Amino acid sequence: MKLRILGCCGSSYPGQQSPAFLIDDNVLVDAGTVSAALNGEEQALIEAVLITHPHLDHVKGLAGLVENLLINGSNRSIHVYGMAAVLDILKKHLFNGLIWPDFGVIPNEAAPIIRWEPLEPCTSRMVCGYSVFPIPVSHSVPASGFLISSQSSRLLFTGDTGPTHLLWRYATELSMLVVEVSFPNSLEELALRSGHLTPHLLETELAKLPDTPRRIVVMHLKSIYRRQIIAELASLAQHRIEVMEDGTVYQL
Ligand SMILES: [Zn+2]
Ligand SMILES: [Zn+2]
């Protein structure tokens, strides 16, 4: 499994892109960044997009991606997966014919650019040869993490979440845990209110894991606190924690 980081930041500035993770060229997990990282040929290879939750920093690249596919004459659909509550918000508030065209019926209802693929929580579905298992997490809107597994790899994305429980039940034998940490310890109250983690809250979450992931990689750091968060993560003696960077390619 190849994992390419198109963006992993919790803020957007030049050189710092919103979350989007490309698996083996054809499966995108979140779509905060697409056209800033992928050329037209690479965009055309994407077959499936998994959406953790409908916040703009996780979905805005999808708008441009589907428009590019249409304009470039692609006659195939892109399959957009997520919990039904997540997809319903995207349909109602983004692809609603007002904020952006309804690509669920364009160019026609029989063969639209977007095919919405609602997922049942805690039920696996095969997507491009991977088992995809959505697990609800604790954020300010409906949100899930995704456990994505192949025969040899198990990758768990938390998406955005505050302290949570159900997710960790499935965090066994992980090749990699991709977990959010948005704020420094001094902003714990804000993190809890907005459904995010700090290094200290992460430490408490990691204690809930049934076993230790091979790699733990954090993402979604708010830029102005990045150095502070990294210093606080380094002081978590129990765990070796890596900080994700845009453009990195992992082989799992
Ligand atoms: Zn969010
Ligand atoms: Zn976010």
Side-chain angles (χ1 to χ4, degrees), residues 3 7-9 18-23 27-33 48-62 79-90 116-122 132-148 155-162 164 167 177-180 182 195-196 219-220 244:
L3 174 66
C8 61
C9 300
S18 298
F21 312 97
L22 187 62
I23 296 175
V27 177
L28 191 61
V29 181
D30 276 342
T33 302
V49 182
L50 315 179
I51 299 290
T52 59
H53 70 295
H55 276 157
L56 202 56
D57 58 324
H58 298 256
V59 304
K60 59 187 157 70
L62 183 60
H79 296 261
V80 178
Y81 296 84
M83 293 196 305
V86 172
L87 300 188
D88 286 347
I89 293 169
L90 287 182
W116 300 106
E117 305 276 5
L119 297 174
E120 284 289 324
C122 299
V132 170
F133 189 86
I135 308 150
V137 293
S138 309
H139 198 39
S140 54
V141 292
S144 79
F146 289 113
L147 177 62
I148 299 170
L155 176 59
L156 181 63
F157 290 94
T158 65
D160 289 7
T161 188
T164 195
L167 181 73
L177 167 65
V178 178
V179 56
E180 80 122 275
S182 297
H196 289 294
M219 48 125 187
H220 208 271
M244 192 174 262

Side-chain angles (χ1 to χ4, degrees), residues 190-219:
L190 173 61
L192 291 172
R193 211 169 347 114
S194 55
H196 289 294
L197 296 175
T198 64
H200 175 247
L201 291 171
L202 173 65
E203 186 176 30
T204 309
E205 292 305 292
L206 292 177
K208 301 174 185 172
L209 264 63
D211 58 39
T212 304
R214 213 172 300 154
R215 297 177 80 166
I216 301 171
V217 186
V218 303
M219 48 125 187

Side-chain angles (χ1 to χ4, degrees), residues 1-3 22-24 124-133 146-157 170-178 211 213-215 250-252:
M1 189 189 288
K2 182 177 78 177
L3 174 66
L22 187 62
I23 296 175
D24 287 342
S124 59
R125 180 100 163 251
M126 290 307 291
V127 175
C128 300
Y130 291 106
S131 161
V132 170
F133 189 86
F146 289 113
L147 177 62
I148 299 170
S149 23
S150 66
Q151 288 203 332
S152 55
S153 308
R154 278 165 70 82
L155 176 59
L156 181 63
F157 290 94
Y170 300 96
T172 54
E173 298 175 34
L174 296 179
S175 318
M176 183 183 279
L177 167 65
V178 178
D211 58 39
R214 213 172 300 154
R215 297 177 80 166
Y250 298 92
Q251 292 291 344
L252 303 175

Side-chain angles (χ1 to χ4, degrees), residues 22 25-28 34 38-49 62 65-81 103-104 106-108 110-115 117 128:
L22 187 62
D25 302 323
N26 61 344
V27 177
L28 191 61
V34 180
L38 298 180
N39 65 33
E41 283 167 22
E42 291 169 322
Q43 290 178 40
L45 295 176
I46 297 173
E47 297 174 61
V49 182
L62 183 60
L65 172 65
V66 293
E67 188 198 27
N68 288 349
L69 292 179
L70 180 70
I71 289 174
N72 293 340
S74 171
N75 54 6
R76 66 168 181 82
S77 301
I78 198 157
H79 296 261
V80 178
Y81 296 84
F103 284 99
I106 292 174
N108 57 67
I113 290 282
I114 293 183
R115 284 195 191 276
E117 305 276 5
C128 300

